[in-house]
Amino acid sequence: MATFLYKLGRLAFRRRHFVALIWVALLTLAGVGAASAPPAGNTSFSIPGTEAQKAFDLLEQRFPGQSADGATARVVFKAPSGEKMTDAGNRATVEKTVDDLADGSEVASVADPYQGDAVSKDGTIAYASVKYDVSGMELEESTKDALEEAAQQARDAGLTVEVGGDALQAVPETGATEIIGIAVAAVVLVITFGSLVAAGLPLLTALIGVGIGVASITALASALELGSTTSILAMMIGLAVGIDYALFIVSRYRAELADGREREDAVGRAVGTAGSAVVFAGLTVVIALVGLAVVNIPMLTKMGVAAAGTVAISVLIALTMIPALLGYAGRRVKPAGAKGRLLGRSRKGAEQPEGQSAGQSKDRPKANLGTRWASFVVRRPLAVLLLGVIGLGAAAIPATSLELGLPDDGSQPTSTTQRRAYDLLSDGFGAGFNGPLMVVVDGKGAASPDDAFTSVSDEIKDLDGVVAVTPPAPNKAGDTATITVIPDSKPSSVQTEDLVHAIRDAGGDVKADTGAETLVTGSTAMNIDVSEKLNDALVPYLVLVVGLAFLLLIVVFRSILVPLKAALGFLLSVMAALGAVVMVFQWGWLSDLTGVEETGPVMSMMPIFMVGVVFGLAMDYEVFLVTRMREAYVHGEKPNQAVVTGFKHGARVVTAAAVIMMAVFAGFIGSSESMIKMIGFGLAIAVFFDAFVVRMAIVPAVLALLGKRAWWLPRWLDRALPNVDVEGEGLRTAEERGSDPDEDRKLVRT
């Protein structure tokens, strides 16, 4: 592989005009496609294989024309102090509002609160239910404006009016902190390279890669039903890995220049060595993201595949466009250690005098911070290992209190009208009113469907935690009925989850007696089913993703223990990150700093999504750092010295890459979408734990304790595995080997 990538890098360097033209053309094509594509349509949240989804599909079949997936709105009215909603003036205002809402072209129905028992017992709160023909994302702006205008007219009449439901669903915004994250990345690159030109290359290529990825997602959004969250996540991950991959290749290029190589040869060697690490690191990320398909939730699968596509583009750009841009930059990108005038300092020996050999420049290497830290770790490996494991273990303790759920209006900030409507309904009708359960009774298999409907209703009334049960509402054929159940607990509570299971158990008894099937659906039941499905899929997903990546790393490192150590270290970092997420989003710690206005259950897809993304990113640092150690080891250094050498060449760059990735992820904490905010924080803290505790401390400590055993591989497996030559041994000249080439090829497999 190293030889192929070496040739690719040199080709891109020589044919820089052609390479740059191709990428600019792809960016233009994707941009035109995004601009001309129709807006994204319905992005319905379907969960195949769950009871809630089965009931939802049955409703669409047996109750045609009712727009089961249509948007809903609850316009909640509160009377002024000392008045009631039943007063003549307030009633007239509400009825006028209902009439105004019913005039909308996309409105399917509006329920008058005075005709549907939608006034609280104390008479102070009432609500009107609005049903639309299309989903919230498909509603025209004029329809949303009409809803807000009707609510405002009622406010002008003296009532308190708030609007809940998904009719006012807005496209999530990331906020200004995203730009701050990119700015921090730019500062880190300038400090790392000491040059605006060198620092600008990773940023430029990352933005082009993300631009192509996000524009392609936008162009395909309507055809593939991709939500706005998909493009935001692709942008988040694509920016982070795009900058990092380019950073590693540029850094290796500068190191090759410092060894006295010509620029074209230096580019080829940088792509052949660091580029090999980029390929395998990118593969682990792609495997982790595409592996989300195991969960069998279409929305999650689409998010993973879209983000994986953006990562693949980032890898290709790093391997081709970076060499091309280095060709344009010429001498403005200096060798490692030679700082530009920007930082006002330089290090002797970086630029070799005429006639000085590469070996002469290394006679007295200056020990950098990475070298000093690695030397300390190999002297005290057990103490560093215990400290790192205990620290991450302590951070992971809150994860034992993890509560999962999906966000609803109750998790919105109190500044939103959706949240205020949620609170008014809870005050007037009880906490469970915001999460009604819809029970669907399929009576086709019953001798008397009406008797079956009544039996189900009576069984539910006798259950604990039920406030109200509406009479069965059969369809025209009389073979299916719906029953609405109001719990006495809020939608995201454990008590509501227990009630859903109790209704399903009671339905099983009814089916045994009557033959009618009972199904529970609605947003609350759907959320419960999603959480359970994600929990059930977590172990198979871990086995698949970690197993495939483990096999890949065996090929890269030609070792059993190094990939095993990498996987165990990842589990430590992801558990610690989940603990931090619980502390911030569930317990409310540092809520002012992170902008978390409301605490509550952690989003149910967060653990499995974090496992996938963090595993891929964790393997990035493992590959980049340990391949330099492997390279030093196969070139003849002793195990402990190889660890120090790996840190000498890689620690500074890995540190910069981790800080950049943390800054990019943290930039999305300012998003208005709670899922994006939580994922941004979770990924940022996970990168911190993995890069600075696991890879910088635990990894060298374990390698120091293992010694030569770290690189052990059974002979039969050694012969069976392909030699991918990540270390770039095939690029070394006979003079550099200083021995027989055949013997050196054998050394690669030791």
Side-chain angles (χ1 to χ4, degrees):
M1 174 176 287
T3 303
F4 169 75
L5 293 178
Y6 171 80
K7 294 178 180 178
L8 178 64
R10 294 190 63 172
L11 178 65
F13 183 89
R14 291 195 304 269
R15 300 288 185 265
R16 61 185 74 104
H17 303 308
F18 181 68
V19 172
L21 182 62
I22 288 178
W23 284 113
V24 171
L26 288 175
L27 179 61
T28 304
L29 183 64
V32 170
S36 59
N42 183 17
T43 55
S44 56
F45 190 76
S46 61
I47 314 295
T50 62
E51 180 174 314
Q53 185 65 44
K54 183 180 178 181
F56 186 83
D57 295 339
L58 186 65
L59 283 174
E60 289 192 324
Q61 178 184 348
R62 303 284 176 84
F63 292 83
Q66 290 196 6
S67 302
D69 60 345
T72 59
R74 276 181 171 174
V75 183
V76 187
F77 307 90
K78 183 178 181 181
S81 178
E83 299 181 17
K84 292 188 176 182
M85 291 305 304
T86 52
D87 294 346
N90 295 334
R91 180 165 184 161
T93 300
V94 172
E95 290 176 343
K96 181 180 184 305
T97 303
V98 170
D99 291 340
D100 291 342
L101 291 172
D103 291 337
S105 59
E106 295 180 308
V107 175
S109 63
V110 181
D112 189 319
Y114 301 105
Q115 298 177 6
D117 193 24
V119 180
S120 63
K121 290 182 179 180
D122 62 5
T124 60
I125 297 175
Y127 70 91
S129 296
V130 186
K131 183 74 174 177
Y132 294 91
D133 292 322
V134 296
S135 67
M137 296 301 292
E138 292 178 303
L139 282 177
E140 296 180 0
E141 287 301 319
S142 59
T143 301
K144 296 181 180 181
D145 292 341
L147 176 60
E148 293 176 329
E149 183 179 349
Q152 186 58 48
Q153 289 178 355
R155 292 189 190 103
D156 295 340
L159 298 178
T160 298
V161 186
E162 304 296 346
V163 182
D166 60 351
L168 295 181
Q169 182 179 0
V171 176
E173 299 175 354
T174 55
T177 51
E178 176 191 347
I179 306 300
I180 296 175
I182 297 176
V184 171
V187 171
V188 173
L189 287 169
V190 170
I191 294 174
T192 302
F193 293 138
S195 163
L196 287 175
V197 174
L201 297 183
L203 280 176
L204 176 61
T205 54
L207 290 173
I208 291 175
V210 167
I212 294 174
V214 172
S216 300
I217 291 171
T218 304
L220 298 172
S222 178
L224 301 181
E225 296 185 359
L226 303 177
S228 57
T229 303
T230 303
S231 60
I232 294 178
L233 290 175
M235 181 191 304
M236 180 193 303
I237 297 172
L239 271 177
V241 301
I243 294 174
D244 277 9
Y245 294 165
L247 166 65
F248 281 108
I249 291 179
V250 174
S251 297
R252 187 60 183 255
Y253 168 73
R254 296 176 71 238
E256 297 293 339
L257 287 180
D259 283 344
R261 306 193 192 284
E262 295 295 329
R263 294 189 178 272
E264 183 176 331
D265 186 43
V267 164
R269 287 173 178 263
V271 176
T273 52
S276 297
V278 164
V279 169
F280 282 101
L283 274 176
T284 59
V285 180
V286 169
I287 288 172
L289 291 170
V290 174
L292 290 171
V294 173
V295 185
N296 195 26
I297 295 180
M299 186 189 79
L300 195 59
T301 300
K302 293 173 184 178
M303 287 166 54
V305 172
T310 306
V311 171
I313 292 172
S314 299
V315 171
L316 292 175
I317 281 188
L319 297 178
T320 57
M321 193 167 187
I322 281 292
L325 293 179
L326 288 172
Y328 285 120
R331 295 186 176 275
R332 283 170 289 186
V333 177
K334 299 182 180 298
K339 300 291 184 181
R341 295 180 180 179
L342 181 65
L343 297 182
R345 68 183 189 274
S346 63
R347 191 173 74 226
K348 291 182 179 180
E351 298 251 32
Q352 297 171 24
E354 200 69 37
Q356 184 178 10
S357 69
Q360 288 174 311
S361 67
K362 299 179 181 177
D363 289 342
R364 295 187 198 176
K366 181 180 178 181
N368 57 21
L369 182 60
T371 303
R372 295 195 296 271
W373 168 249
S375 300
F376 169 78
V377 172
V378 297
R379 289 197 306 269
R380 300 285 188 274
L382 188 58
V384 172
L385 176 61
L386 290 176
L387 185 61
V389 171
I390 292 172
L392 290 179
I397 290 175
T400 59
S401 302
L402 180 67
E403 296 178 7
L404 298 177
L406 287 178
D408 55 20
D409 285 348
S411 62
Q412 296 272 3
T414 54
S415 58
T416 62
T417 186
Q418 292 94 332
R419 172 57 189 275
R420 292 195 293 265
Y422 180 98
D423 291 339
L424 285 176
L425 288 172
S426 296
D427 294 341
F429 301 92
F433 195 79
N434 284 291
L437 306 175
M438 178 175 287
V439 179
V440 183
V441 185
D442 182 2
K444 270 197 171 182
S448 174
D450 289 338
D451 291 342
F453 301 155
T454 303
S455 296
V456 172
S457 179
D458 292 341
E459 288 281 350
I460 295 174
K461 288 177 182 178
D462 293 336
L463 296 175
D464 294 333
V466 175
V467 172
V469 179
T470 64
N475 62 350
K476 291 182 179 180
D479 58 5
T480 308
T482 60
I483 302 171
T484 301
V485 180
I486 306 298
D488 66 359
S489 53
K490 63 181 182 179
S492 58
S493 67
V494 177
Q495 291 83 354
T496 302
E497 182 178 349
D498 293 339
L499 177 60
V500 169
H501 291 301
I503 294 174
R504 288 171 174 170
D505 292 339
D509 296 336
V510 172
K511 183 175 183 179
D513 296 336
T514 67
E517 185 176 11
T518 302
L519 305 170
V520 184
T521 189
S523 60
T524 302
M526 185 74 80
N527 290 351
I528 292 171
D529 286 353
V530 168
S531 297
E532 292 179 351
K533 190 176 181 70
L534 289 167
N535 287 337
D536 293 341
L538 185 57
V539 172
Y541 175 70
L542 269 174
V543 171
L544 174 68
V545 173
V546 176
L548 288 175
F550 181 79
L551 295 176
L552 187 66
L553 292 180
I554 289 177
V555 175
V556 174
F557 296 128
R558 310 197 71 80
S559 163
I560 297 294
L561 296 179
V562 171
L564 180 62
K565 171 263 308 170
L568 294 177
F570 150 74
L571 291 176
L572 275 174
S573 58
V574 79
M575 288 304 297
L578 281 175
V581 169
V582 169
M583 286 188 281
V584 172
F585 291 90
Q586 191 172 306
W587 295 355
W589 296 10
L590 302 177
S591 57
D592 292 337
L593 183 63
T594 55
V596 178
E597 296 187 30
E598 291 298 324
T599 59
V602 174
M603 189 175 49
S604 55
M605 67 176 62
M606 186 68 185
I608 199 165
F609 190 83
M610 267 189 68
V611 164
V613 177
V614 174
F615 181 79
L617 300 180
M619 294 306 103
D620 278 5
Y621 301 118
E622 180 76 14
V623 170
F624 286 125
L625 194 59
V626 180
T627 48
R628 292 307 295 260
M629 300 178 191
R630 170 74 182 170
E631 183 177 342
Y633 177 73
V634 299
H635 290 166
E637 293 188 8
K638 293 182 179 180
N640 281 7
Q641 183 56 41
V643 171
V644 176
T645 301
F647 266 77
K648 173 186 174 183
H649 294 295
R652 177 184 177 90
V653 180
V654 168
T655 299
V659 172
I660 289 170
M661 195 170 282
M662 287 167 56
V664 172
F665 287 147
F668 288 84
I669 296 176
S671 173
S672 61
E673 176 71 32
S674 59
M675 182 173 74
I676 299 297
K677 181 189 292 287
M678 191 178 295
I679 289 177
F681 173 83
L683 294 183
I685 197 69
V687 168
F688 172 78
F689 286 142
D690 195 86
F692 293 105
V693 181
V694 175
R695 309 302 154 190
M696 292 290 188
I698 294 178
V699 165
V702 171
L703 290 178
L705 289 171
L706 291 175
K708 288 185 178 181
R709 289 168 295 183
W711 308 108
W712 172 80
L713 187 69
R715 290 186 180 274
W716 64 269
L717 185 57
D718 179 52
R719 290 191 296 269
L721 291 177
N723 180 20
V724 295
D725 190 18
V726 177
E727 303 86 7
E729 179 67 19
L731 303 180
R732 303 179 77 209
T733 63
E735 181 182 352
E736 289 173 318
R737 292 190 182 98
S739 61
D740 184 65
D742 293 332
E743 291 298 319
D744 277 333
R745 278 193 289 272
K746 294 177 184 177
L747 182 62
V748 176
R749 295 183 176 271
T750 59

